[in-house]
Coordinates of all heavy atoms in Angstrom, one line a residue:
M1059 N 109.9 97.4 134.8 CA 110.0 95.9 134.5 C 111.5 95.6 134.4 O 112.2 96.1 133.5 CB 109.2 95.6 133.2 CG 109.4 94.2 132.6 SD 108.3 93.8 131.4 CE 108.8 94.8 130.0
T1060 N 111.8 94.5 135.1 CA 113.1 94.0 135.0 C 113.2 92.8 134.1 O 112.3 92.0 134.3 CB 113.7 93.6 136.4 OG1 113.4 94.6 137.3 CG2 115.1 93.2 136.3
K1061 N 114.0 92.8 133.1 CA 114.1 91.7 132.1 C 115.4 90.8 132.5 O 116.4 91.3 132.7 CB 114.2 92.1 130.7 CG 112.9 92.7 130.2 CD 113.1 93.1 128.8 CE 113.4 94.6 128.9 NZ 113.4 95.3 127.6
S1062 N 115.1 89.6 132.4 CA 116.2 88.6 132.7 C 116.2 87.5 131.6 O 115.2 86.8 131.5 CB 116.2 88.0 134.1 OG 117.1 86.9 134.2
I1063 N 117.2 87.4 130.8 CA 117.3 86.4 129.7 C 118.5 85.5 129.9 O 119.7 86.0 130.1 CB 117.4 87.2 128.3 CG1 116.2 88.1 128.1 CG2 117.5 86.2 127.2 CD1 116.3 89.1 126.9
S1064 N 118.2 84.3 129.9 CA 119.3 83.4 130.1 C 119.2 82.1 129.3 O 118.1 81.7 129.0 CB 119.5 82.9 131.7 OG 118.3 82.3 132.1
A1065 N 120.3 81.5 129.0 CA 120.4 80.2 128.2 C 120.7 79.1 129.1 O 121.7 79.3 130.0 CB 121.3 80.4 127.0
V1066 N 120.1 77.9 128.9 CA 120.5 76.8 129.7 C 121.1 75.7 128.8 O 120.5 75.3 127.8 CB 119.3 76.2 130.4 CG1 119.7 74.9 131.2 CG2 118.6 77.2 131.3
G1067 N 122.3 75.4 129.0 CA 123.0 74.3 128.2 C 123.6 74.8 126.8 O 124.2 74.0 126.1
F1068 N 123.6 76.1 126.5 CA 124.2 76.7 125.3 C 124.3 78.2 125.5 O 123.8 78.8 126.4 CB 123.4 76.3 124.1 CG 122.1 77.1 123.9 CD1 122.1 78.2 122.9 CD2 121.0 77.0 124.7 CE1 121.0 78.9 122.7 CE2 119.9 77.7 124.4 CZ 119.9 78.7 123.4
E1069 N 125.2 78.8 124.6 CA 125.3 80.2 124.7 C 124.4 80.9 123.7 O 124.3 80.5 122.6 CB 126.8 80.5 124.3 CG 127.8 80.4 125.4 CD 127.7 81.2 126.6 OE1 127.4 82.5 126.3 OE2 127.8 80.7 127.7
L1070 N 123.7 81.9 124.2 CA 122.9 82.7 123.2 C 123.8 83.6 122.4 O 124.7 84.3 122.9 CB 121.9 83.6 124.1 CG 120.6 83.0 124.5 CD1 119.8 84.0 125.3 CD2 119.8 82.7 123.3
E1071 N 123.6 83.6 121.1 CA 124.3 84.6 120.2 C 123.7 85.9 120.4 O 122.6 86.1 120.8 CB 124.2 84.1 118.8 CG 124.7 82.8 118.4 CD 124.4 82.3 117.0 OE1 124.0 83.1 116.2 OE2 124.5 81.1 116.8
D1072 N 124.5 87.0 120.1 CA 124.0 88.3 120.2 C 122.7 88.6 119.4 O 121.8 89.3 119.9 CB 125.1 89.3 119.8 CG 126.3 89.4 120.7 OD1 126.1 88.9 121.9 OD2 127.4 89.8 120.3
K1073 N 122.7 88.0 118.2 CA 121.6 88.1 117.3 C 120.3 87.6 118.0 O 119.2 88.2 117.9 CB 121.9 87.3 116.1 CG 121.0 87.7 114.9 CD 121.6 87.1 113.6 CE 121.7 85.6 113.7 NZ 122.1 84.9 112.5
Q1074 N 120.4 86.4 118.7 CA 119.3 85.8 119.3 C 118.9 86.6 120.5 O 117.6 86.8 120.7 CB 119.6 84.4 119.8 CG 119.9 83.4 118.7 CD 120.4 82.1 119.2 OE1 121.3 82.1 120.0 NE2 119.9 81.0 118.6
T1075 N 119.8 87.2 121.3 CA 119.4 88.1 122.4 C 118.7 89.3 122.0 O 117.7 89.7 122.5 CB 120.7 88.5 123.2 OG1 121.4 87.3 123.6 CG2 120.4 89.2 124.4
E1076 N 119.1 89.9 120.9 CA 118.5 91.1 120.3 C 117.1 90.7 119.9 O 116.2 91.6 120.0 CB 119.4 91.7 119.1 CG 120.6 92.4 119.5 CD 121.5 92.7 118.4 OE1 121.1 92.8 117.2 OE2 122.8 92.9 118.5
L1077 N 117.0 89.6 119.2 CA 115.6 89.2 118.7 C 114.7 89.0 119.9 O 113.5 89.5 119.9 CB 115.8 87.9 118.0 CG 114.5 87.4 117.3 CD1 114.0 88.4 116.3 CD2 114.7 86.1 116.6
I1078 N 115.1 88.5 121.0 CA 114.3 88.3 122.2 C 113.9 89.7 122.7 O 112.7 89.9 123.1 CB 114.9 87.5 123.3 CG1 115.1 86.0 122.8 CG2 114.2 87.5 124.5 CD1 116.1 85.1 123.7
E1079 N 114.9 90.6 122.8 CA 114.6 91.9 123.4 C 113.6 92.6 122.5 O 112.7 93.3 123.0 CB 116.0 92.7 123.4 CG 117.0 92.2 124.3 CD 116.7 92.9 125.8 OE1 115.9 93.7 125.9 OE2 117.5 92.4 126.7
K1080 N 113.7 92.5 121.2 CA 112.9 93.2 120.3 C 111.4 92.6 120.4 O 110.5 93.4 120.5 CB 113.3 92.9 118.9 CG 112.6 93.9 117.8 CD 113.3 93.7 116.5 CE 112.1 93.1 115.6 NZ 112.6 92.7 114.3
K1081 N 111.3 91.3 120.6 CA 109.9 90.7 120.8 C 109.4 91.1 122.1 O 108.1 91.3 122.1 CB 110.1 89.2 120.6 CG 110.4 88.6 119.3 CD 109.3 88.8 118.3 CE 109.7 88.2 116.9 NZ 108.6 88.4 116.0
V1082 N 110.1 91.2 123.2 CA 109.7 91.5 124.5 C 109.0 93.0 124.5 O 108.1 93.3 125.2 CB 110.7 91.3 125.5 CG1 110.4 92.0 126.9 CG2 111.0 89.8 125.7
E1083 N 109.5 93.8 123.5 CA 109.0 95.2 123.4 C 107.5 95.2 123.2 O 106.7 96.0 123.5 CB 109.7 95.9 122.3 CG 111.1 96.2 122.5 CD 111.3 97.2 123.7 OE1 110.6 98.3 123.6 OE2 112.2 97.0 124.5
R1084 N 107.1 94.1 122.6 CA 105.6 93.9 122.4 C 104.7 94.0 123.6 O 103.5 94.4 123.5 CB 105.4 92.5 121.6 CG 104.1 92.2 121.1 CD 104.2 91.1 120.2 NE 103.1 90.1 120.4 CZ 103.0 89.0 120.0 NH1 103.9 88.4 119.2 NH2 102.0 88.2 120.3
V1085 N 105.2 93.7 124.7 CA 104.4 93.7 126.0 C 104.7 95.0 126.7 O 104.4 95.1 127.9 CB 104.6 92.5 126.8 CG1 104.0 91.2 126.1 CG2 106.0 92.2 127.2
K1086 N 105.3 96.0 126.1 CA 105.7 97.2 126.6 C 104.5 97.9 127.3 O 104.6 98.7 128.3 CB 106.3 98.1 125.6 CG 107.2 99.2 126.2 CD 108.6 98.6 126.5 CE 109.5 99.8 126.7 NZ 110.5 99.4 127.7
Y1087 N 103.3 97.7 126.7 CA 102.1 98.3 127.3 C 101.8 98.0 128.7 O 101.1 98.7 129.4 CB 100.8 98.0 126.4 CG 100.5 96.5 126.4 CD1 99.7 96.0 127.4 CD2 101.0 95.6 125.4 CE1 99.3 94.7 127.5 CE2 100.7 94.2 125.5 CZ 99.8 93.8 126.5 OH 99.6 92.4 126.5
A1088 N 102.3 96.8 129.2 CA 102.1 96.3 130.5 C 103.3 96.6 131.4 O 103.4 96.0 132.5 CB 101.8 94.9 130.5
D1089 N 104.2 97.5 131.0 CA 105.4 97.8 131.8 C 105.1 98.2 133.3 O 105.8 97.7 134.1 CB 106.1 99.0 131.1 CG 107.6 98.7 130.8 OD1 108.0 97.6 131.1 OD2 108.2 99.7 130.3
D1090 N 104.1 98.9 133.5 CA 103.8 99.3 134.9 C 103.1 98.3 135.7 O 103.0 98.4 136.9 CB 102.9 100.7 134.8 CG 101.6 100.4 134.0 OD1 101.6 99.6 133.1 OD2 100.6 101.0 134.4
L1091 N 102.7 97.2 135.0 CA 102.0 96.1 135.7 C 103.0 94.9 136.1 O 102.7 94.2 137.0 CB 100.9 95.5 134.9 CG 99.9 96.4 134.3 CD1 98.9 95.7 133.3 CD2 99.1 97.1 135.3
I1092 N 104.1 94.9 135.4 CA 105.0 93.8 135.5 C 106.2 94.1 136.4 O 106.9 95.2 136.0 CB 105.5 93.2 134.2 CG1 104.3 92.8 133.3 CG2 106.6 92.2 134.3 CD1 104.6 92.5 131.9
V1093 N 106.5 93.4 137.4 CA 107.7 93.6 138.2 C 109.0 93.1 137.5 O 109.9 93.8 137.2 CB 107.6 92.9 139.6 CG1 108.9 93.0 140.4 CG2 106.4 93.4 140.4
D1094 N 108.9 91.8 137.1 CA 110.0 91.2 136.3 C 109.5 90.1 135.4 O 108.5 89.5 135.6 CB 111.1 90.7 137.2 CG 110.7 89.8 138.3 OD1 109.6 89.2 138.1 OD2 111.6 89.5 139.1
L1095 N 110.3 90.0 134.3 CA 110.1 89.0 133.2 C 111.3 88.2 133.1 O 112.4 88.7 132.8 CB 109.8 89.8 131.9 CG 109.6 89.0 130.7 CD1 108.1 88.5 130.7 CD2 109.8 89.9 129.5
I1096 N 111.3 86.9 133.4 CA 112.3 86.0 133.3 C 112.2 85.0 132.1 O 111.2 84.3 132.1 CB 112.5 85.2 134.6 CG1 112.5 86.2 135.8 CG2 113.6 84.2 134.6 CD1 112.0 85.6 137.1
V1097 N 113.1 85.1 131.2 CA 113.1 84.3 130.0 C 114.2 83.3 130.1 O 115.4 83.7 130.2 CB 113.2 85.0 128.7 CG1 113.1 84.2 127.5 CG2 112.1 86.1 128.7
R1098 N 114.0 81.9 130.0 CA 115.0 80.9 130.0 C 114.9 80.2 128.7 O 113.7 79.7 128.4 CB 114.9 80.0 131.3 CG 115.4 80.5 132.5 CD 115.3 79.5 133.6 NE 114.0 79.2 134.0 CZ 113.1 80.0 134.7 NH1 113.5 81.2 135.1 NH2 111.9 79.5 135.1
V1099 N 116.0 80.0 128.0 CA 116.0 79.4 126.8 C 116.8 78.1 126.9 O 118.0 78.1 127.3 CB 116.6 80.2 125.6 CG1 116.3 79.5 124.3 CG2 115.9 81.5 125.6
K1100 N 116.2 77.0 126.6 CA 116.9 75.6 126.7 C 117.0 75.2 125.2 O 116.1 75.4 124.4 CB 116.2 74.6 127.5 CG 116.0 75.0 128.9 CD 115.2 74.0 129.7 CE 114.8 74.5 131.0 NZ 113.7 73.8 131.6
H1101 N 118.1 74.5 124.9 CA 118.2 73.9 123.6 C 118.7 72.4 123.7 O 119.8 72.2 124.1 CB 119.2 74.7 122.8 CG 119.4 74.2 121.3 ND1 118.3 74.1 120.5 CD2 120.4 73.8 120.7 CE1 118.7 73.6 119.3 NE2 120.0 73.4 119.4
D1102 N 117.9 71.6 123.3 CA 118.2 70.1 123.3 C 118.1 69.8 121.9 O 118.9 70.1 121.1 CB 117.2 69.3 124.2 CG 117.7 67.9 124.5 OD1 118.9 67.7 124.1 OD2 117.0 67.1 125.0
K1103 N 117.0 69.1 121.5 CA 116.7 69.0 120.0 C 116.0 70.1 119.5 O 116.1 70.5 118.3 CB 116.0 67.7 119.8 CG 116.8 66.4 120.1 CD 116.0 65.2 120.0 CE 116.9 63.9 120.3 NZ 116.2 62.8 120.6
A1104 N 115.2 70.7 120.4 CA 114.4 71.9 120.0 C 114.7 73.0 120.9 O 115.3 72.8 122.0 CB 112.9 71.5 120.0
Y1105 N 114.3 74.2 120.6 CA 114.4 75.3 121.4 C 113.2 75.4 122.4 O 112.0 75.3 121.9 CB 114.4 76.7 120.7 CG 115.8 76.8 120.0 CD1 116.0 76.5 118.7 CD2 116.9 77.3 120.7 CE1 117.1 76.6 118.0 CE2 118.1 77.4 120.0 CZ 118.3 77.1 118.7 OH 119.4 77.2 118.0
I1106 N 113.4 75.5 123.7 CA 112.3 75.6 124.6 C 112.4 76.9 125.4 O 113.4 77.1 126.0 CB 112.3 74.4 125.7 CG1 112.3 73.1 124.9 CG2 111.2 74.5 126.6 CD1 112.7 71.9 125.7
F1107 N 111.3 77.7 125.3 CA 111.3 79.0 126.0 C 110.4 78.8 127.3 O 109.2 78.4 127.1 CB 110.7 80.0 125.2 CG 111.6 80.6 124.1 CD1 111.9 80.0 122.9 CD2 112.4 81.8 124.4 CE1 112.8 80.5 122.0 CE2 113.2 82.4 123.5 CZ 113.4 81.7 122.3
D1108 N 111.0 79.0 128.4 CA 110.2 79.0 129.7 C 110.3 80.4 130.2 O 111.3 80.9 130.5 CB 110.9 78.1 130.7 CG 110.5 76.6 130.6 OD1 109.3 76.4 130.2 OD2 111.3 75.7 130.8
T1109 N 109.1 81.0 130.3 CA 109.0 82.4 130.7 C 108.1 82.6 131.9 O 107.1 82.0 132.0 CB 108.5 83.3 129.5 OG1 109.3 83.1 128.4 CG2 108.6 84.7 129.9
T1110 N 108.6 83.3 132.9 CA 107.8 83.7 134.1 C 107.6 85.1 134.2 O 108.6 85.9 134.0 CB 108.5 83.2 135.4 OG1 108.7 81.7 135.1 CG2 107.6 83.3 136.5
V1111 N 106.4 85.6 134.4 CA 106.1 87.0 134.6 C 105.6 87.2 136.0 O 104.6 86.5 136.4 CB 105.1 87.5 133.6 CG1 104.7 89.0 133.7 CG2 105.4 87.2 132.2
N1112 N 106.2 88.1 136.8 CA 105.7 88.4 138.1 C 105.0 89.8 138.0 O 105.6 90.8 137.6 CB 106.8 88.5 139.1 CG 107.4 87.1 139.3 OD1 106.8 86.2 139.5 ND2 108.8 87.0 139.1
F1113 N 103.7 89.8 138.4 CA 103.0 91.1 138.4 C 103.1 91.8 139.8 O 103.3 91.2 140.8 CB 101.5 90.8 138.1 CG 101.3 90.3 136.7 CD1 101.2 88.8 136.5 CD2 101.2 91.1 135.6 CE1 101.0 88.4 135.2 CE2 101.1 90.6 134.3 CZ 100.9 89.2 134.2
R1114 N 102.8 93.1 139.7 CA 102.9 94.0 140.9 C 102.0 93.4 142.1 O 102.4 93.6 143.2 CB 102.3 95.3 140.6 CG 103.1 96.3 140.1 CD 102.6 97.7 139.9 NE 101.5 97.9 139.1 CZ 100.3 98.3 139.5 NH1 100.1 98.6 140.7 NH2 99.3 98.5 138.5
W1115 N 100.9 92.9 141.8 CA 99.9 92.5 142.8 C 100.1 91.1 143.2 O 99.3 90.5 144.0 CB 98.5 92.7 142.2 CG 98.2 92.0 140.9 CD1 97.8 90.8 140.7 CD2 98.4 92.6 139.7 NE1 97.7 90.5 139.4 CE2 98.1 91.7 138.8 CE3 98.8 93.9 139.3 CZ2 98.1 91.9 137.3 CZ3 98.8 94.1 137.8 CH2 98.6 93.2 136.9
G1116 N 101.2 90.5 142.9 CA 101.6 89.2 143.5 C 101.3 88.0 142.6 O 101.7 86.9 142.8
A1117 N 100.6 88.3 141.5 CA 100.2 87.2 140.6 C 101.4 86.8 139.8 O 102.3 87.6 139.6 CB 99.1 87.6 139.7
Q1118 N 101.4 85.5 139.3 CA 102.5 85.1 138.4 C 102.0 84.3 137.3 O 101.0 83.6 137.4 CB 103.4 84.2 139.3 CG 104.7 83.8 138.7 CD 105.6 83.0 139.6 OE1 105.1 81.9 140.1 NE2 106.8 83.4 140.0
A1119 N 102.6 84.5 136.1 CA 102.2 83.8 135.0 C 103.4 83.0 134.4 O 104.5 83.6 134.4 CB 101.6 84.7 133.9
H1120 N 103.2 81.7 134.0 CA 104.2 81.0 133.4 C 103.8 80.6 132.0 O 102.8 80.0 131.9 CB 104.5 79.7 134.3 CG 105.7 79.0 133.9 ND1 107.0 79.4 134.0 CD2 105.8 77.8 133.1 CE1 107.8 78.5 133.4 NE2 107.0 77.6 132.9
V1121 N 104.7 80.8 131.1 CA 104.5 80.4 129.7 C 105.6 79.6 129.2 O 106.8 79.8 129.5 CB 104.3 81.7 128.8 CG1 104.2 81.4 127.4 CG2 103.2 82.6 129.3
S1122 N 105.3 78.5 128.3 CA 106.3 77.7 127.8 C 106.0 77.4 126.3 O 104.9 77.3 126.0 CB 106.4 76.4 128.6 OG 107.5 75.6 128.2
A1123 N 107.0 77.5 125.5 CA 106.8 77.2 124.1 C 108.0 76.4 123.6 O 109.1 76.6 124.0 CB 106.6 78.5 123.3
E1124 N 107.8 75.5 122.6 CA 108.8 74.7 122.0 C 108.7 74.6 120.5 O 107.6 74.5 120.0 CB 108.7 73.4 122.7 CG 109.7 72.4 122.3 CD 109.6 71.0 123.0 OE1 108.9 71.0 124.0 OE2 110.3 70.0 122.5
D1125 N 109.9 74.6 119.9 CA 109.9 74.4 118.4 C 111.4 74.2 118.0 O 112.3 74.6 118.8 CB 109.4 75.7 117.7 CG 108.9 75.5 116.2 OD1 109.8 75.1 115.4 OD2 107.7 75.4 116.0
F1126 N 111.5 73.6 116.9 CA 112.9 73.3 116.3 C 113.5 74.6 115.8 O 114.7 74.7 115.8 CB 112.8 72.3 115.2 CG 112.5 70.9 115.8 CD1 111.2 70.4 115.7 CD2 113.4 70.2 116.5 CE1 110.9 69.1 116.2 CE2 113.1 69.0 117.1 CZ 111.9 68.4 116.9
D1127 N 112.7 75.6 115.5 CA 113.2 76.9 115.0 C 113.2 77.9 116.1 O 112.2 78.1 116.8 CB 112.4 77.4 113.8 CG 112.9 78.7 113.2 OD1 114.0 78.8 112.9 OD2 112.0 79.6 113.2
F1128 N 114.3 78.6 116.3 CA 114.4 79.6 117.4 C 113.4 80.7 117.3 O 112.7 80.9 118.3 CB 115.8 80.2 117.4 CG 116.1 81.1 118.6 CD1 116.5 80.7 119.7 CD2 115.9 82.5 118.3 CE1 116.7 81.6 120.8 CE2 116.1 83.4 119.4 CZ 116.5 82.9 120.6
S1129 N 113.2 81.2 116.2 CA 112.2 82.3 115.9 C 110.8 81.8 116.1 O 110.0 82.5 116.7 CB 112.3 82.9 114.5 OG 113.7 83.5 114.4
A1130 N 110.5 80.7 115.7 CA 109.1 80.1 115.8 C 108.8 79.8 117.2 O 107.7 80.2 117.7 CB 109.0 78.8 115.0
A1131 N 109.7 79.3 118.0 CA 109.5 79.1 119.4 C 109.3 80.4 120.1 O 108.4 80.5 121.0 CB 110.7 78.3 120.0
L1132 N 110.1 81.4 119.8 CA 110.0 82.7 120.4 C 108.7 83.4 120.1 O 108.0 83.9 121.0 CB 111.2 83.6 120.0 CG 111.1 85.0 120.4 CD1 111.2 85.1 122.0 CD2 112.3 85.7 119.9
N1133 N 108.2 83.2 118.9 CA 106.9 83.8 118.5 C 105.7 83.1 119.2 O 104.8 83.8 119.7 CB 106.7 83.7 116.9 CG 107.6 84.7 116.2 OD1 107.9 85.7 116.8 ND2 107.9 84.4 115.0
K1134 N 105.9 81.7 119.3 CA 104.7 81.1 120.0 C 104.7 81.5 121.5 O 103.6 81.7 122.0 CB 105.0 79.6 120.1 CG 104.8 78.8 118.7 CD 105.1 77.3 118.9 CE 105.0 76.6 117.6 NZ 105.4 75.2 117.7
M1135 N 105.9 81.6 122.1 CA 105.9 82.1 123.5 C 105.4 83.4 123.7 O 104.6 83.7 124.5 CB 107.4 82.0 123.9 CG 107.6 82.3 125.4 SD 107.9 84.0 125.8 CE 109.4 84.5 125.0
M1136 N 105.7 84.4 122.8 CA 105.2 85.8 122.8 C 103.7 85.8 122.6 O 103.1 86.7 123.2 CB 106.0 86.7 121.8 CG 107.4 87.0 122.2 SD 107.5 87.7 123.9 CE 106.5 89.2 123.8
D1137 N 103.2 85.0 121.6 CA 101.7 85.0 121.5 C 101.0 84.7 122.8 O 100.1 85.3 123.1 CB 101.4 84.2 120.3 CG 101.8 84.7 119.0 OD1 102.2 85.8 118.9 OD2 101.9 83.8 118.0
T1138 N 101.5 83.6 123.4 CA 100.8 83.1 124.6 C 101.0 84.1 125.7 O 100.1 84.3 126.5 CB 101.4 81.7 125.0 OG1 101.5 80.8 123.8 CG2 100.6 81.1 126.1
L1139 N 102.2 84.7 125.8 CA 102.5 85.6 126.9 C 101.6 86.8 126.7 O 101.1 87.3 127.8 CB 103.9 86.0 126.9 CG 104.5 86.9 127.9 CD1 104.5 86.2 129.2 CD2 105.9 87.3 127.6
D1140 N 101.5 87.3 125.6 CA 100.6 88.5 125.3 C 99.2 88.3 125.8 O 98.6 89.1 126.4 CB 100.7 88.7 123.8 CG 100.3 90.2 123.5 OD1 100.4 91.1 124.4 OD2 99.9 90.5 122.3
V1141 N 98.6 87.1 125.5 CA 97.2 86.7 125.9 C 97.2 86.7 127.4 O 96.2 87.3 128.0 CB 96.8 85.4 125.2 CG1 95.5 84.9 125.9 CG2 96.7 85.5 123.7
K1142 N 98.2 86.1 128.1 CA 98.1 85.9 129.6 C 98.2 87.3 130.2 O 97.5 87.6 131.2 CB 99.3 85.1 130.0 CG 99.2 83.6 129.8 CD 99.3 82.9 131.1 CE 99.2 81.4 130.8 NZ 99.1 80.6 132.0
I1143 N 99.1 88.2 129.7 CA 99.2 89.5 130.3 C 97.9 90.3 130.1 O 97.5 90.9 131.1 CB 100.4 90.3 129.7 CG1 101.7 89.6 130.2 CG2 100.4 91.8 130.0 CD1 103.0 90.1 129.5
K1144 N 97.3 90.2 128.9 CA 96.0 90.9 128.7 C 95.0 90.4 129.6 O 94.2 91.2 130.2 CB 95.6 90.8 127.3 CG 96.3 91.7 126.3 CD 95.9 91.5 124.9 CE 96.7 92.5 124.1 NZ 96.8 92.0 122.7
K1145 N 94.9 89.1 129.9 CA 93.9 88.5 130.8 C 94.1 89.0 132.2 O 93.2 89.4 132.9 CB 94.0 87.0 130.8 CG 93.3 86.3 129.8 CD 93.3 84.8 129.9 CE 92.6 84.1 128.8 NZ 92.7 82.7 128.8
E1146 N 95.4 89.0 132.7 CA 95.7 89.6 134.0 C 95.3 91.0 134.2 O 94.8 91.4 135.1 CB 97.1 89.3 134.4 CG 97.5 88.0 134.9 CD 96.9 87.6 136.2 OE1 96.8 88.5 137.2 OE2 96.5 86.4 136.4
K1147 N 95.6 91.7 133.2 CA 95.4 93.2 133.1 C 93.9 93.4 133.2 O 93.4 94.3 134.0 CB 95.9 93.8 131.9 CG 95.9 95.3 131.8 CD 96.5 95.8 130.6 CE 96.2 97.3 130.3 NZ 96.7 97.7 129.0
D1148 N 93.1 92.7 132.5 CA 91.6 92.8 132.5 C 91.1 92.4 133.9 O 90.2 93.0 134.4 CB 91.0 91.9 131.4 CG 91.3 92.5 130.0 OD1 91.7 93.7 129.9 OD2 91.1 91.7 129.0
K1149 N 91.6 91.3 134.5 CA 91.2 90.8 135.8 C 91.3 92.0 136.8 O 90.4 92.3 137.6 CB 91.9 89.7 136.2 CG 91.2 88.3 135.9 CD 91.9 87.2 136.8 CE 92.8 86.4 136.0 NZ 93.4 85.4 136.8
V1150 N 92.5 92.6 136.8 CA 92.8 93.7 137.8 C 91.9 94.8 137.5 O 91.5 95.5 138.5 CB 94.3 94.0 137.7 CG1 94.6 95.3 138.5 CG2 95.2 92.8 138.2
Q1151 N 91.6 95.2 136.3 CA 90.8 96.3 135.9 C 89.4 96.1 136.4 O 88.7 97.0 136.8 CB 90.9 96.7 134.5 CG 92.3 97.4 134.2 CD 92.4 97.7 132.8 OE1 91.9 97.1 131.9 NE2 93.4 98.7 132.5
E1152 N 88.9 94.9 136.3 CA 87.6 94.6 136.7 C 87.3 94.7 138.2 O 86.3 95.2 138.7 CB 87.2 93.1 136.4 CG 86.9 92.9 134.9 CD 86.7 91.4 134.6 OE1 86.5 90.6 135.6 OE2 86.8 91.1 133.5
K1153 N 88.4 94.4 139.0 CA 88.3 94.6 140.4 C 88.3 96.0 141.0 O 87.8 96.2 142.1 CB 89.5 93.8 141.1 CG 89.4 92.2 141.0 CD 90.5 91.6 141.6 CE 90.5 90.1 141.4 NZ 91.6 89.4 141.9
K1154 N 88.8 96.9 140.1 CA 88.8 98.3 140.5 C 87.5 99.0 140.7 O 86.5 98.7 140.1 CB 89.6 99.2 139.6 CG 91.1 98.9 139.8 CD 92.0 99.7 139.0 CE 93.5 99.4 139.2 NZ 94.4 100.1 138.3

């Protein structure tokens, strides 16, 4: 799995990047299913996480979360992402 983390309109602090890396470890169980994980963080009045996951079989999942707190937005995004990845994983296993 290739991870790409980028900030739009501001600079990510090392602490924030480390926090994202740590949270992404949560989906490590799907490492063999995911080709790449693209995380874009925008900061206007709130933090907006736009995440795209590309799966090996060509499917793509897009998750977005927004909150005024960086950690809260990241947690919301990870919760949704976790559910999406599990659904895709289950779908593929049903077809086998």
Side-chain angles (χ1 to χ4, degrees):
M1059 169 170 67
T1060 310
K1061 287 180 266 187
S1062 168
I1063 300 168
S1064 61
V1066 180
F1068 76 107
E1069 283 293 318
L1070 271 176
E1071 296 172 16
D1072 290 342
K1073 197 168 61 176
Q1074 290 172 321
T1075 307
E1076 286 170 22
L1077 186 62
I1078 294 170
E1079 291 277 350
K1080 195 175 115 190
K1081 292 287 183 180
V1082 167
E1083 291 294 312
R1084 189 167 132 188
V1085 293
K1086 203 79 165 148
Y1087 65 87
D1089 232 3
D1090 57 330
L1091 308 175
I1092 298 171
V1093 175
D1094 55 14
L1095 179 78
I1096 303 157
V1097 180
R1098 280 182 299 284
V1099 187
K1100 297 176 194 161
H1101 182 60
D1102 192 10
K1103 291 180 180 158
Y1105 288 98
I1106 303 164
F1107 281 83
D1108 275 325
T1109 306
T1110 305
V1111 180
N1112 294 310
F1113 294 98
R1114 272 186 300 118
W1115 51 91
Q1118 190 178 59
H1120 184 77
V1121 176
S1122 191
E1124 182 177 345
D1125 201 291
F1126 291 103
D1127 181 54
F1128 184 86
S1129 297
L1132 178 59
N1133 287 333
K1134 283 181 190 176
M1135 185 271 297
M1136 284 308 300
D1137 290 343
T1138 312
L1139 185 65
D1140 204 18
V1141 170
K1142 284 240 186 186
I1143 290 171
K1144 282 182 179 149
K1145 275 186 186 174
E1146 276 296 323
K1147 187 178 170 187
D1148 290 347
K1149 266 199 258 179
V1150 166
Q1151 286 175 340
E1152 282 174 18
K1153 288 179 183 175
K1154 286 184 181 177

